[in-house]
């Protein structure tokens, strides 16, 4: 079934802000007046047309934070012809937003009190015409229309709104929510991921009333026994999953008109369903006098009751399935009940697992004929014993369940017959103590103990990875024989105290099958040497690393001289830098002084205050004669 996508482009008209006429007409410069919902184009495979419509979509504004997204969702669901939904397709509706939503009741703030009718109200231009006529849809209305039209809703919202829409998705069948990036760059991956989740899972639902209980069973893709489940995950295209539905009438409705019901069983998000016409037999003709099957003082009831629909209704003096018991023959009053109770403190007959008939408990029958309830007071059964690995009393080879307890067969013990009676499985193959003397045998399995040296492990507690073992004993000999170091480095001491010769290897590798022990030590030169040993037929075999792993030598005198030289060089470099900076500064100051001196004019003119000592006067009347 091919997926069928629809996206919603929505602008909230804000029913509660009709008084802001100017802002409603022009919410912003160059913006179109707000509208509730517009269907720009029907569903199509023409991507170029879709791109063109998106680019030409008019921009509008919103006068409050929440949006009228529910109006848009409702119209996109119910206007099937205008949207272009196909009949045989999985329908996906992607709702993208970065804000909250208005829901039923918000319209009353703007004087819109008519409830949403859940019908299509799109004009020829694709505009929603009832934005200010009727209220927003409620969540339950959206959920009802989603189930009615088999649509999966994907809420692609920004991170700040994801928690709100995640809770909303829990109340709308077949919907999911995911985080959309701020620039919507991940929208394709988001839709692909959410569609993969939806298409790989199938869940069965029904519209049964409270008087009817529908139980689903399926093995999904496990191929084993059916388990109670209505959902299967991890499906791929071509997988076939079978569900079994069990319908149980829990009670008869008080209204006889509800005795005939039509139940619809359907997979979520898929436009297919199974219709069941159910007729409840809540009133039988055989319960009325004169009908076939109604017989007073019937011989089938030992002449002490009325046979109705095959069941005896006994008189006041008799009881039992066939009225075979007399109250006078058994006991009277409360004594009759005590006969079917183990003691005076018990308040129920036959441990509530049977019926008290004529002072004798008749235990109830189980659906599985192999499961039997027994005992004088129905206190025993053969199915309530302890289980091991989901097997009753560990299976028929180990024991049987008798009166709520496991009776084990020879060779087995324990409350669930899961323990071996012998300790043979705890004995090491090469003889020795039980669990190598380092543990206890419980149920045929060694439970190893922990000591101050370390914790023992292995099937027979024969291993101790953290224990030192004989490593310390062999270390001195390995040092003197391989590396000529250690307390026994003297040849005489080494030959006297060492009884083995280690085998040199380039690299020490542990062989688990030979039960080898790894030993690692550091000598007085801080060098690491590694060796391993094993004991075969009480003979010790030691393999040691040929060369020690020593840290590189550090020349302290060179480091000290290098540090001193570095300090001296840094000091000289700082002095030279200081001298260079001061020289540059002085030269700049001297150059500026020379420039100012060259520009000075005070030494090239005359002093206006200065007067010569000689004064010369001319007689204007003198003509030179």
């Amino acid at each position: 079934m091919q997926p069928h996508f629809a996206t919603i482009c929505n602008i909230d008209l804000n029913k509660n802000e009709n008084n802001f006429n100017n802002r409603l007409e022009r919410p912003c410069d160059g913006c179109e007046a707000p509208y509730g919902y517009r269907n720009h184009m029907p569903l199509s495979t023409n991507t170029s047309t879709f791109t063109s419509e998106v680019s030409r979509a008019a921009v509008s504004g919103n006068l409050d934070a929440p949006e009228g997204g529910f109006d848009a969702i409702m119209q996109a669901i119910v206007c099937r012809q205008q949207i272009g939904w196909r009949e045989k397709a999985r329908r996906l509706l992607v709702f993208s937003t970065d804000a909250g939503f208005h829901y039923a009741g918000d319209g009353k703030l703007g004087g819109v009190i008519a409830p949403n009718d859940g019908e299509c109200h799109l004009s020829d231009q694709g505009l929603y015409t009832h934005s200010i006529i009727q209220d927003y849809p409620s969540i339950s209305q959206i959920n009802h229309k989603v189930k009615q039209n088999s649509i999966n809703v994907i809420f692609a919202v920004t991170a700040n709104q994801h928690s709100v829409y995640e809770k909303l998705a829990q109340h709308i069948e077949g919907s999911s929510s995911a985080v959309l990036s701020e620039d919507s760059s991940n929208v394709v991956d988001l839709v692909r991921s959410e569609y993969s989740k939806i298409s790989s899972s199938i869940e069965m639902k029904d519209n049964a009333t409270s008087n009817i209980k529908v139980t689903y069973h399926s093995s999904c893709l496990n191929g084993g026994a059916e388990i109670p489940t209505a959902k299967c995950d991890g499906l791929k295209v071509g997988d076939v999953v079978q569900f079994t539905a069990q319908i149980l009438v829990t009670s008869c409705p008080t209204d006889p008109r509800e005795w005939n019901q039509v139940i619809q069983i359907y997979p979520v998000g898929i436009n297919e369903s199974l219709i069941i016409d159910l007729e409840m037999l809540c009133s039988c003709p055989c319960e009325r006098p004169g009908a076939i099957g109604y017989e007073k003082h019937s011989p089938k009831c030992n002449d002490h009751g009325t046979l109705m629909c095959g069941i005896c209704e006994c008189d006041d003096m008799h009881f039992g399935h066939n009225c075979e018991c007399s109250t006078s023959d058994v006991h009277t009053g409360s004594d009759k009940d005590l006969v079917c109770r183990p003691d005076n403190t018990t308040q129920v007959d036959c441990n509530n697992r049977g019926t008290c008939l004529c002072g004798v408990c008749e235990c109830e029958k189980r659906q599985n004929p192999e499961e039997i309830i027994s005992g004088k007071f129905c206190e025993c059964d053969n199915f309530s014993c302890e289980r091991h690995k989901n097997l009753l009393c560990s299976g028929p080879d180990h024991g049987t369940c008798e009166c709520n307890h496991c009776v084990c067969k020879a060779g087995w013990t324990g409350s669930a017959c899961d323990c071996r009676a012998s300790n043979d499985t705890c004995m090491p193959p090469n003889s020795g103590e039980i669990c190598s003397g380092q543990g206890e045998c419980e149920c045929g399995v060694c439970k190893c103990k922990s000591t101050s040296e370390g914790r023992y492990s292995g099937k027979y507690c024969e291993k101790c990875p953290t224990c030192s073992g004989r490593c310390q004993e062999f270390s001195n000999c390995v040092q003197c024989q391989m590396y000529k170091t250690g307390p026994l480095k003297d040849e005489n001491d080494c030959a006297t105290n060492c009884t083995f010769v280690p085998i040199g290897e380039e690299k020490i590798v542990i062989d688990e099958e030979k039960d080898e022990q790894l030993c690692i030590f550091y000598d007085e030169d801080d060098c690491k040497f590694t060796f391993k040993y094993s004991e075969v037929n009480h003979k010790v075999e030691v393999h040691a690393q040929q060369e020690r792993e020593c840290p590189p030598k550090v020349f302290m005198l060179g480091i000290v001289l290098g540090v001193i030289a570095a300090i001296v060089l840094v000091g000289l470099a700082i002095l030279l830098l200081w001298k260079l900076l001061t020289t540059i500064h002085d030269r700049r100051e001297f150059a500026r002084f020379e420039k100012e001196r060259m520009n000075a004019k005070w030494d090239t003119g005359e002093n206006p205050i200065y007067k010569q000592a000689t004064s010369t006067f001319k007689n204007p009347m003198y003509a030179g004669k």
Side-chain angles (χ1 to χ4, degrees):
M1 183 175 291
Q2 294 296 324
H4 206 188
F5 291 89
T7 56
I8 288 177
C9 179
N10 171 65
I11 298 295
D12 179 19
L13 186 58
N14 297 297
K15 298 175 174 66
N16 55 345
E17 296 173 353
N18 293 332
N19 294 329
F20 298 91
N21 294 327
N22 293 334
R23 294 192 61 188
L24 285 175
E25 292 177 0
R26 296 188 62 188
C28 55
D29 294 338
C31 293
E32 187 175 333
Y35 54 88
Y37 167 66
R38 173 178 292 170
N39 179 33
H40 288 269
M41 62 175 289
L43 291 171
S44 172
T45 58
N46 192 333
T47 56
S48 59
T49 304
F50 175 78
T51 304
S52 176
E53 288 292 334
V54 171
S55 61
R56 289 190 303 167
V59 178
S60 185
N62 195 6
L63 302 185
D64 67 353
E67 296 180 344
F70 278 14
D71 276 341
I73 293 176
M74 178 63 75
Q75 295 303 303
I77 293 174
V78 299
C79 298
R80 300 176 61 169
Q81 184 176 358
Q82 292 88 332
I83 300 299
W85 294 111
R86 295 200 307 267
E87 289 298 326
K88 299 297 181 180
R90 183 185 285 273
R91 302 165 185 166
L92 299 179
L93 191 149
V94 181
F95 179 79
S96 177
T97 184
D98 60 354
F101 51 84
H102 284 295
Y103 53 90
D106 286 359
K108 295 180 181 180
L109 299 177
V112 180
I113 59 175
N116 195 283
D117 58 6
E119 300 294 335
C120 179
H121 298 287
L122 293 184
S123 65
D124 296 337
Q125 290 76 32
L127 281 171
Y128 178 47
T129 59
H130 282 51
S131 290
I132 58 175
I133 298 177
Q134 61 182 16
D135 199 1
Y136 302 100
S138 65
I139 296 177
S140 60
Q141 281 181 304
I142 295 293
N143 183 47
H144 174 71
K145 293 299 180 181
V146 163
K147 292 193 295 184
Q148 189 179 45
N149 292 272
S150 302
I151 291 179
N152 295 105
V153 181
I154 298 175
F155 295 106
V157 297
T158 51
N160 61 328
Q161 296 292 330
H162 183 248
S163 60
V164 176
Y165 283 90
E166 189 176 26
K167 294 179 181 178
L168 175 63
Q170 298 174 2
H171 298 281
I172 298 179
E173 185 177 287
S175 63
S176 61
S177 64
V179 178
L180 183 69
S181 60
E182 294 295 336
D183 58 356
S184 303
S185 59
N186 67 331
V187 63
V188 176
D189 294 334
L190 182 149
V191 173
R192 183 184 293 113
S193 174
E194 292 302 311
Y195 173 68
S196 177
K197 294 179 184 178
I198 294 172
S199 60
S200 63
S201 175
I202 185 168
E203 182 178 7
M204 303 304 296
K205 292 283 187 177
D206 57 75
N207 61 347
T209 61
S210 58
N211 303 102
I212 302 171
K213 181 181 179 181
V214 182
T215 306
Y216 300 95
H217 293 77
S218 177
S219 61
C220 293
L221 297 179
N222 298 329
E226 291 186 344
I227 59 174
T229 181
K231 186 176 182 180
C232 291
D233 298 316
L235 305 180
K236 301 185 293 294
V237 176
D239 290 340
V240 178
V241 178
Q242 183 176 351
F243 286 90
T244 302
Q246 296 179 350
I247 301 176
L248 175 66
V249 178
T250 57
S251 62
C252 286
T254 55
D255 188 355
R257 291 176 296 180
E258 297 180 2
W259 292 352
N260 292 325
Q261 295 189 13
V262 177
I263 301 176
Q264 183 182 16
I265 298 177
Y266 58 94
V268 175
I270 298 178
N271 190 23
E272 296 179 0
S273 62
L274 173 66
I275 306 298
I276 300 175
D277 291 326
L278 178 65
E279 181 181 355
M280 305 181 195
L281 299 178
C282 296
S283 177
C284 302
C286 55
E287 294 179 349
R288 294 189 291 269
I292 299 175
Y294 186 92
E295 184 180 353
K296 290 189 96 176
H297 305 292
S298 172
K300 294 181 180 180
C301 301
N302 292 292
D303 298 326
H304 299 305
T306 302
L307 183 66
M308 294 188 298
C309 302
I311 300 175
C312 289
E313 185 177 277
C314 305
D315 56 29
D316 296 338
M317 298 301 296
H318 295 84
F319 61 94
H321 287 302
N322 299 315
C323 304
E324 69 275 16
C325 302
S326 174
T327 57
S328 59
D329 294 340
V330 184
H331 288 285
T332 59
S334 60
D335 293 339
K336 177 187 69 174
D337 298 329
L338 296 177
V339 175
C340 296
R341 301 177 185 178
D343 50 56
N344 295 335
T345 60
T346 306
Q347 300 298 321
V348 295
D349 295 338
C350 306
N351 285 287
N352 206 24
R353 300 205 295 179
T355 306
C356 184
L357 298 175
C358 301
V360 178
C361 286
E362 183 177 315
C363 302
E364 63 184 22
K365 305 295 182 182
R366 300 275 296 180
Q367 186 175 3
N368 186 352
E370 296 182 359
E371 297 179 354
I372 301 173
I373 300 175
S374 59
K376 182 179 179 181
F377 305 106
C378 301
E379 73 278 9
C380 297
D381 63 60
N382 65 346
F383 54 85
S384 297
C385 297
E386 289 193 30
R387 296 173 180 265
H388 179 67
K389 294 183 178 180
N390 205 27
L391 294 175
L392 194 67
C393 298
S394 302
D397 295 335
H398 291 207
T400 57
C401 182
E402 298 179 8
C403 198
N404 311 332
H405 297 284
C406 287
V407 178
C408 301
K409 294 185 177 181
W412 297 96
T413 61
S415 58
C417 301
D418 55 336
C419 297
R420 292 186 179 273
S422 67
N423 295 332
D424 295 342
T425 56
C426 295
M427 298 292 293
N430 297 327
S431 70
E433 299 182 58
I434 296 177
C435 300
S436 303
Q438 304 296 339
E440 297 179 357
C441 186
E442 298 180 6
C443 292
V445 178
C446 286
K447 300 295 182 182
C448 304
K449 63 182 180 181
S450 297
T451 64
S452 58
E453 293 185 352
R455 181 179 179 86
Y456 288 87
S457 62
K459 184 178 181 180
Y460 305 106
C461 301
E462 74 281 7
K463 298 179 181 179
C464 184
T466 58
C467 296
S468 60
R470 303 184 67 181
C471 289
Q472 190 68 42
E473 177 184 346
F474 298 147
S475 63
N476 293 337
C477 290
V478 171
Q479 278 187 274
C480 71
Q481 292 179 332
M482 292 296 299
Y483 317 117
K484 308 302 180 184
T485 61
L488 305 177
K489 60 183 177 180
D490 185 83
E491 293 185 2
N492 294 329
D493 293 340
C494 188
T496 303
N497 293 279
C498 299
T499 60
F500 64 91
V501 177
I503 301 173
E505 292 185 3
E506 184 176 351
K507 185 176 182 182
I508 301 299
V509 179
I510 296 296
D511 188 350
E512 296 288 345
E513 296 181 357
K514 293 184 179 180
D515 194 21
E516 296 177 335
Q517 300 295 325
L518 179 67
C519 305
I520 301 175
F521 288 93
Y522 288 86
D523 60 13
E524 61 272 14
D525 297 327
D526 202 24
C527 296
K528 184 177 77 171
F529 62 96
T530 306
F531 65 92
K532 65 180 180 179
Y533 72 90
S534 61
E535 299 182 42
V536 182
N537 297 326
H538 304 288
K539 182 180 179 181
V540 177
E541 184 177 303
V542 180
H543 295 257
Q545 192 172 357
Q546 292 178 351
E547 299 293 337
R548 297 178 298 170
E549 298 179 15
C550 297
K553 294 183 178 181
V554 179
F555 298 97
M556 294 301 300
L557 180 61
I559 293 176
V560 172
L561 294 177
V563 171
I564 295 174
I567 294 174
V568 172
L569 290 175
V570 171
L572 292 175
I574 293 174
L575 290 175
L576 290 175
L577 179 62
W578 175 79
K579 182 62 178 175
L580 177 63
L581 294 176
T582 53
T583 301
I584 294 173
H585 179 266
D586 292 344
R587 289 185 177 182
R588 285 182 177 177
E589 290 295 325
F590 181 74
R592 186 173 63 179
F593 171 75
E594 287 293 327
K595 183 178 179 180
E596 291 178 354
R597 189 179 64 82
M598 293 297 295
N599 293 334
K601 302 294 184 182
W602 57 271
D603 58 344
T604 60
E606 294 183 356
N607 188 348
I609 304 175
Y610 174 75
K611 291 185 178 182
Q612 295 182 0
T614 304
S615 299
T616 301
F617 299 94
K618 285 185 179 184
N619 187 356
M621 300 301 296
Y622 176 66
K625 294 180 178 180

